[in-house]
Amino acid sequence: DAGVTQSPTHLIKTRGQQVTLRCSPKSGHDTVSWYQQALGQGPQFIFQYYEEEERQRGNFPDRFSGHQYPNYSSELNVNALLLGDSALYLCASSFTGTVNEKLFFGSGTQLSVL
Amino acid sequence: AQSVAQPEDQVNVAEGNPLTVKCTYSVSGNPYLFWYVQYPNRGLQFLLKYITGDNLVKGSYGFEAEFNKSQTSFHLKKPSALVSDSALYFCAVRGVTFSGGYNKLIFGAGTRLAVHP
């Protein structure tokens, strides 16, 4: 049983470019959340997708957008990249029927913006 | 607003000694608290959670955590540390949901645990 998978593992972009990160949730999970982890900090919630809709959003600008597909996989898109967007982007999946259950995290995508 | 604080950037302990990683929280309502561990170049792995019930929660890899409501703390503990326990540890609280946004977690800044042989 595969866990949460993310691609790519590493990415280098330049300021102003756009990037798309991908996530496949753990089998049986229907909810995908995205987190940004800057160096030396804890993960910060970006948004959460369920039933192909954004259900909750953290304090991130509209440059950050996402999508969820019918197979529950998800994408995180970031437009007009800034140097400050350099971080580890983590995807976490869960089953919405279990409110306080643990999240399963992928290994992340390390994004470097030059 | 919900928040957690991890007052120590780093904790150093000798192998075989007990370890404690501190966490305090601020929530409105009942707290739902979690501990996660992060190894280098890896995502976060769940250790344990407190939802309700016994104040001492047992988790993975021999870790446990003590919930103290009066002190608003949820410290992570292990009776005997291993070198392989060296990693980054995060305390988290479940955020308040307004429209069914379950499982949003609010993380602390993390504590690096270094266990020396």
Side-chain angles (χ1 to χ4, degrees), chain A residues 35 48 99-101 103, chain B residues 36 38 49 94 102-103 105:
Chain A
Y35 289 80
Q48 182 183 82
V99 174
N100 288 312
E101 276 303 309
L103 296 180
Chain B
Y36 283 81
Q38 186 176 36
K49 66 179 179 181
R94 200 198 81 181
Y102 301 124
N103 289 339
L105 292 180

Side-chain angles (χ1 to χ4, degrees), chain A residues 6 10 21 34 47 60 77 85 88 92:
Chain A
Q6 292 186 243
H10 296 83
L21 311 181
W34 287 92
F47 43 53
F60 280 81
N77 302 293
D85 295 332
L88 179 67

Side-chain angles (χ1 to χ4, degrees), chain B residues 23 33-35 48-50 65-67 73-76 91:
Chain B
C23 171
L33 299 160
F34 301 78
W35 276 101
L48 50 80
K49 66 179 179 181
Y50 172 84
E66 186 173 10
F67 172 71
S73 67
F74 188 56
H75 300 333
L76 182 69
C91 182

Side-chain angles (χ1 to χ4, degrees), chain A residues 5-8 20-24 34 69 74-76 91 109:
Chain A
T5 58
Q6 292 186 243
S7 63
T20 297
L21 311 181
R22 295 176 175 82
C23 171
S24 293
W34 287 92
Y69 294 94
S74 177
E75 291 180 351
L76 164 65
C91 170
T109 295

Side-chain angles (χ1 to χ4, degrees), chain A residues 52-70:
Chain A
E52 303 179 48
E53 291 189 358
E54 182 183 293
R55 185 161 67 171
Q56 194 176 18
R57 189 179 183 92
N59 189 26
F60 280 81
D62 292 343
R63 297 187 298 108
F64 289 77
S65 63
H67 187 80
Q68 186 179 34
Y69 294 94

